[in-house]
């Protein structure tokens, strides 16, 4: 369906099931005012979507939730989010900045793979692992500090991050 342009929800809670708006190239903006759960592939390939704002509670974002949303520039993740699925923002190449909530402990594989415009990201202190290819191809990312609780950085986690001039890795990282 390409006729839906705006998704606004001000209710108490909502779950976007797997594939809910997948491949809907007409969506431009999503604004959620209540509690939300986002399933796998919920907004996959919504190429025209530029903004997704959650002004409420969320617990998790499924795998590939926003994969290939190539026009997505603005995304606000509520601070009570505890899980961001693998490939969640894969190939969102217009995304410039994103906040990772303090409850998130793992950056899963390929989460920000190909986010070519991502130039700023702050990892919370509770991050324990950064998965394989997590920031692969984030060519605009210029610096990042790995939190002191991080134990593992996966293979090619920062591969092809050509603007990266500073990567601070604490002694806690063992692999």
């Amino acid at each position: 369906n390409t006729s839906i342009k705006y998704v606004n929800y001000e209710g108490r809670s909502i779950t976007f099931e797997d594939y809910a708006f997948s491949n809907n190239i007409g969506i431009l903006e999503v604004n959620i005012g209540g509690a939300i759960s986002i399933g796998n592939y919920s907004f996959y390939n919504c190429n025209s979507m530029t903004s997704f704002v959650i002004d409420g509670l969320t617990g998790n974002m499924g795998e590939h939730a926003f994969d290939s949303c190539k026009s997505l520039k603005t995304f606000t993740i509520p601070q009570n989010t505890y899980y961001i699925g693998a490939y969640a923002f894969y190939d969102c190449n217009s995304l410039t900045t994103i906040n990772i909530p303090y409850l998130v402990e793992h950056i899963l594989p390929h989460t920000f793979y190909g986010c070519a415009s991502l130039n700023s990201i702050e990892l919370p202190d509770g991050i324990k692992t950064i998965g394989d290819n997590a920031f692969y191809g984030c060519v605009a990312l210029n610096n990042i500090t790995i939190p002191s609780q991080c134990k593992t950085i996966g293979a090619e986690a920062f591969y092809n991050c050509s603007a990266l001039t500073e990567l601070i890795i604490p002694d806690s990282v063992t692999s």
Side-chain angles (χ1 to χ4, degrees):
N1 185 349
T2 60
S3 61
I4 298 173
K5 302 284 185 216
Y6 303 95
V7 177
N8 293 299
Y9 180 77
E10 294 298 329
R12 289 176 27 140
S13 67
I14 189 169
T15 297
F16 290 116
E17 298 291 342
D18 295 353
Y19 299 94
F21 292 97
S22 184
N23 291 306
N24 187 320
I25 59 171
I27 292 178
L28 300 175
E29 294 178 7
V30 177
N31 293 292
I32 306 298
I36 183 174
S37 178
I38 302 170
N40 299 330
Y41 294 91
S42 287
F43 292 90
Y44 170 80
N45 202 32
C46 291
N47 283 332
S48 300
M49 183 169 54
T50 60
S51 175
F52 195 103
V53 177
I54 304 169
D55 188 22
L57 306 173
T58 187
N60 66 339
M61 283 183 237
E63 294 186 3
H64 298 272
F66 300 95
D67 182 342
S68 299
C69 292
K70 296 183 183 303
S71 299
L72 185 62
K73 294 178 185 171
T74 305
F75 194 96
T76 304
I77 304 174
Q79 285 302 308
N80 63 333
T81 302
Y82 59 86
Y83 178 83
I84 300 172
Y87 297 85
F89 295 96
Y90 185 96
D91 208 17
C92 291
N93 52 21
S94 295
L95 191 64
T96 58
T97 186
I98 196 157
N99 62 308
I100 304 294
Y102 70 95
L103 294 174
V104 173
E105 295 183 346
H106 308 283
I107 305 295
L108 296 176
H110 301 91
T111 300
F112 299 101
Y113 184 109
C115 293
S117 299
L118 185 64
N119 58 33
S120 175
I121 191 162
E122 187 171 325
L123 299 177
D125 291 336
I127 293 291
K128 293 181 172 85
T129 60
I130 298 173
D132 295 348
N133 302 298
F135 296 96
Y136 186 112
C138 293
V139 296
L141 189 62
N142 55 29
N143 70 60
I144 193 163
T145 300
I146 308 299
S148 61
Q149 292 185 27
C150 188
K151 305 277 187 234
T152 304
I153 298 175
E156 298 183 338
F158 298 99
Y159 186 81
N160 198 24
C161 292
S162 53
L164 194 60
T165 58
E166 185 173 23
L167 177 64
I168 299 171
I169 301 173
D171 292 341
S172 61
V173 175
T174 56
S175 66

